[in-house]
Amino acid sequence: MKIDDALLERLQELARLRLPPEEREAVRAELGQLLACMGELSRLDAEGGEEACHFQGQGHGGFLREDEVTPSADREEILAGAPAQKDGYFKAPRTVE
Amino acid sequence: MMEELRTISAVELGSLLRQKKLGCAEVARYALERIASQEPALSAFAEVAEERALADAGAVQKRIDQGDETLSPLAGVPMALKDNICVRGLHAACGSRMLEDFIPPYSATAWERLEAGGAVLLGKTAMDEFAMGGSGENCAFGPIKNPWDVSRVPGGSSGGSAAAVASGEAFYALGSDTGGSLRQPCSFCGITGIKPTYGAVSRYGLIAYASSLDQIGPMGRNIRDCAQVLSLIWGRDRRDSTTVEEAGPDCPGCWGGGAEGLVIGLPEACFGGETQPEVKKAVLAAGRQLESMGARLVPVELPLQDYALPAYYIIACAEASSNLSRYDGIRYGYRAAEAENLTQLYEASRSRGFGREVQRRMLLGAFVLSSDRRDAYYTKALKVRELIGKSFRAALEQCDMILSPNAPTTAYPLGENIGDPLKMYRGDAYTVSASLSGLPAATAPCGFDSQGLPIGLQLIGRPFGEAALIRAVDAYQAATDFHQKIPGEVGR
């Protein structure tokens, strides 16, 4: 599976990553190799098959609980871990002009 | 008495502590001294919490003295947690620069349950970044070493926990398993472990990699220790709706039953060409050992074995790319200093915070989920996953459990596979299927290769069939002593 420049660019955009130029060739080669391995699934005909998303047959169906208000995490403790905060809010670059 | 601590099991130690034949403080100090002497060569710990461990030990001793009945059978036993399991107030770096300074404001349910019973926490163990890696070399803070040979890898991504238990730094540890991350390092380091059935142990407080695959499990010196730990962390948690009401293993009832009458499946597909001959030989010998003790071996078919790795990596990378999109430099984690806008902030923070392996999986995940490829890759992988699950359920109608190698090789030298991600991924060939199918799997040492490196077997069971796995491994460990062998000192 060949990964061209446009595809690598698109993948970086989707993943919000920016590879340094000197690493792009190596990463491109690695991705090609790994995708070739993943592409082996095409040899198997799974037409009409069900998709496994969760293990319902094993007693999972998820369970619901009452919507009770209980203490959650401590606000100050959470904000203390933020890279930038102000007046009790997380700070982020302006997104709205 | 103190020399016995090097080899004593967690269950036996818990008993001695409860009977006050040993004190919690002296045992904690013993473990901390082991850490001090072995760590320079191993780098198994991301963080040693010495003061906290001694304080925990003091508090547990008081509870023992007061006859506190809420204490578990493992009260006072010093242990370690993989660094992707949150403990409020202690760093959880997850092997990554992205979370180097992160201190969780909450604790994982699995830890809270152990803590309530009197566990003494020595610290957080080193790991491959975000649990992505099969060697212990993808830790952003430096590679972890194998106590059996410090020029070799301990396995991953729970390499630190495995090295800590194998070297006697901790009496047991918790690891996590997504495609083999708990089992494979057990194999490389010669210790015992259990990946529970999906949903048996709460993932609340486990930093997520692939949410439909991740499970926390015990790693220890023998299966009884692992079973005891598992029974303490098991069960429904209102904070993780994928957990179940099923009852966990009953200790000590689940061990001591012998191998008589157990039916063990042998799949030819798992003893194939890529397996190191000594590994094949040792695992088959283990099967014959169990047979000599009254178990019956039957051939079983696993016709989709070749598709398990590609299906696993597609699903794991897809889920990881979604889970790791939370690392945006805004609420926690690494934030790049210079950025003119939000997109630049995301790109710079993530590109510098994540290592190469993590970035590779993010890009793969983006690929398999992208709109024009989703059907061919992700949706296909989900269908293959369902077929693999069906094939295992069919095989497990003919037997109680399936025997296979754990890792296809013994521990390889540091640096040997780091430039070859595909080769590294192939090390998971026998472990990913149980993860995809949500089935429990136990691993135990079953021999050593010609270089003295440990070999591990794997037994995969029916859903919530942990008790049968424990019974089988316990019978095996009663008749063999591979699990009692310890590596030499790896001093300064």
Side-chain angles (χ1 to χ4, degrees):
Chain A
M1 166 91 214
K2 196 89 176 59
I3 309 229
D4 62 21
D5 283 340
L7 179 54
L8 189 58
E9 193 56 38
R10 177 84 186 117
L11 295 181
Q12 290 180 81
E13 221 174 270
L14 288 170
R16 298 294 189 272
L17 292 171
R18 180 79 8 223
L19 296 168
E22 65 276 13
E23 285 187 26
R24 275 178 206 154
E25 272 323 297
V27 173
R28 194 207 296 266
E30 287 160 2
L31 291 180
Q33 238 194 338
L34 295 168
L35 286 171
C37 166
M38 291 174 176
E40 281 171 31
L41 283 196
S42 63
R43 291 193 285 123
L44 182 64
D45 179 10
E47 213 39 54
E50 296 159 46
E51 297 164 26
C53 280
H54 46 81
F55 302 104
Q56 277 207 325
Q58 291 172 195
H60 297 265
F63 65 92
L64 301 178
R65 55 184 164 89
E66 290 306 309
D67 188 14
E68 315 160 352
V69 176
T70 54
S72 179
D74 179 79
R75 186 194 179 127
E76 290 311 312
E77 210 174 339
I78 292 174
L79 286 169
Q85 55 131 330
K86 185 177 172 181
D87 302 334
Y89 294 90
F90 296 112
K91 266 179 75 173
R94 178 183 290 278
T95 55
V96 178
E97 291 307 322
Chain B
M1 183 77 90
M2 298 307 275
E3 312 80 61
E4 287 171 10
L5 289 181
R6 179 62 187 94
T7 51
I8 196 173
S9 74
V11 168
E12 282 161 5
L13 179 57
S15 174
L16 291 176
L17 287 165
R18 214 164 36 252
Q19 296 170 66
K20 298 196 213 175
K21 291 185 174 163
L22 279 172
C24 295
E26 63 181 325
V27 173
R29 273 196 292 274
Y30 167 86
L32 291 166
E33 275 159 25
R34 283 252 8 116
I35 291 172
S37 78
Q38 306 296 290
E39 264 305 278
L42 294 180
S43 306
F45 277 83
E47 181 169 351
V48 180
E50 180 166 344
E51 276 179 35
R52 185 193 168 116
L54 292 170
D56 277 357
V60 176
Q61 188 64 59
K62 278 204 184 79
R63 291 171 67 186
I64 290 175
D65 294 341
Q66 288 159 359
D68 182 341
E69 284 178 14
T70 64
L71 288 173
S72 83
L74 298 181
V77 178
M79 51 79 69
L81 291 173
K82 186 176 181 182
D83 206 21
N84 59 356
I85 297 172
C86 290
V87 175
R88 187 177 180 187
L90 266 190
H91 287 99
C94 228
S96 182
R97 298 236 172 268
M98 179 59 79
L99 290 180
E100 191 171 359
D101 299 323
F102 175 62
I103 298 181
Y106 63 100
S107 288
T109 297
W111 166 243
E112 285 184 337
R113 289 180 177 180
L114 289 176
E115 187 179 31
V120 170
L121 180 63
L122 294 164
K124 311 297 291 307
T125 57
M127 56 183 282
D128 288 297
E129 190 176 1
F130 284 103
M132 300 180 196
S135 68
E137 296 169 291
N138 279 323
C139 178
F141 312 110
I144 311 160
K145 321 292 183 1
N146 190 319
W148 292 88
D149 178 342
V150 297
S151 72
R152 292 178 185 263
V153 302
S157 58
S158 306
S161 283
V165 172
S167 65
E169 291 177 314
F171 291 88
Y172 69 90
L174 290 189
S176 75
D177 196 299
T178 303
S181 284
L182 179 153
R183 291 165 282 162
Q184 185 250 42
C186 284
S187 190
F188 279 11
C189 290
I191 63 169
T192 306
I194 302 174
K195 178 203 86 72
T197 309
Y198 184 83
V201 177
S202 174
R203 290 173 301 108
Y204 180 81
L206 171 67
I207 294 175
Y209 160 14
S211 308
S212 77
L213 296 160
D214 293 340
Q215 273 293 278
I216 291 175
M219 300 164 74
R221 295 180 183 177
N222 62 42
I223 198 72
R224 293 185 181 192
D225 285 359
C226 291
Q228 184 65 78
V229 175
L230 185 60
S231 73
L232 297 172
I233 61 177
W234 182 284
R236 167 67 53 90
D237 177 19
R238 65 194 299 274
R239 296 176 296 189
D240 175 359
S241 71
T242 60
T243 54
V244 295
E245 283 287 12
E246 305 283 337
D250 162 59
C251 301
C254 62
W255 63 66
E260 184 73 44
L262 288 174
V263 183
I264 299 174
L266 274 185
E268 201 180 313
C270 294
F271 288 88
E274 288 192 9
T275 310
Q276 188 176 324
E278 291 163 293
V279 169
K280 234 189 279 200
K281 196 164 159 219
V283 176
L284 289 171
R288 287 192 300 276
Q289 171 68 50
L290 283 161
E291 195 176 36
S292 75
M293 299 167 75
R296 189 161 58 91
L297 301 181
V298 301
V300 292
E301 296 287 318
L302 292 176
L304 300 175
Q305 171 59 25
D306 288 347
Y307 299 104
L309 260 180
Y312 168 79
Y313 272 101
I314 289 171
I315 293 169
C317 289
E319 293 188 8
S321 72
S322 173
N323 276 327
L324 271 65
S325 66
R326 68 192 61 174
Y327 300 107
D328 57 10
I330 307 288
R331 292 155 297 157
Y332 42 72
Y334 175 77
R335 177 177 181 138
E338 69 316 327
E340 285 174 15
N341 57 47
L342 193 62
T343 302
Q344 278 183 18
L345 181 68
Y346 288 162
E347 285 178 356
S349 303
R350 292 164 62 80
S351 300
R352 282 194 232 132
F354 290 143
R356 175 83 156 250
E357 178 65 38
V358 171
Q359 293 194 40
R360 196 158 41 224
R361 296 194 195 196
M362 301 296 93
L363 295 168
L364 283 169
F367 180 91
V368 303
L369 288 173
S370 59
S371 51
D372 47 345
R373 292 184 184 85
R374 189 189 163 110
D375 278 344
Y377 286 87
Y378 181 67
T379 309
K380 183 71 178 277
L382 292 182
K383 290 180 181 175
V384 173
R385 181 177 195 174
E386 179 62 26
L387 291 173
I388 288 174
K390 279 197 172 111
S391 78
F392 267 80
R393 288 194 289 279
L396 287 164
E397 277 169 15
Q398 300 161 52
C399 61
D400 298 307
M401 59 196 71
I402 293 168
L403 174 66
S404 80
N406 178 341
T409 68
T410 52
Y412 45 83
L414 289 159
E416 184 171 276
N417 289 346
I418 198 81
D420 190 345
L422 194 54
K423 194 163 172 214
M424 184 93 71
Y425 290 8
R426 290 208 194 284
D428 297 333
Y430 303 133
T431 48
V432 293
S433 298
S435 307
L436 286 170
S437 313
L439 298 172
T443 178
C446 64
F448 294 86
D449 74 2
S450 54
Q451 299 186 76
L453 299 166
I455 295 170
L457 60 79
Q458 175 180 236
L459 283 166
I460 302 170
R462 298 200 184 112
F464 306 106
E466 280 82 348
L469 297 179
I470 291 161
R471 186 179 143 205
V473 176
D474 185 57
Y476 180 73
Q477 291 184 334
T480 59
D481 64 358
F482 299 115
H483 60 290
Q484 288 167 342
K485 302 284 187 228
I486 56 173
E489 299 299 286
V490 291
R492 289 173 217 278

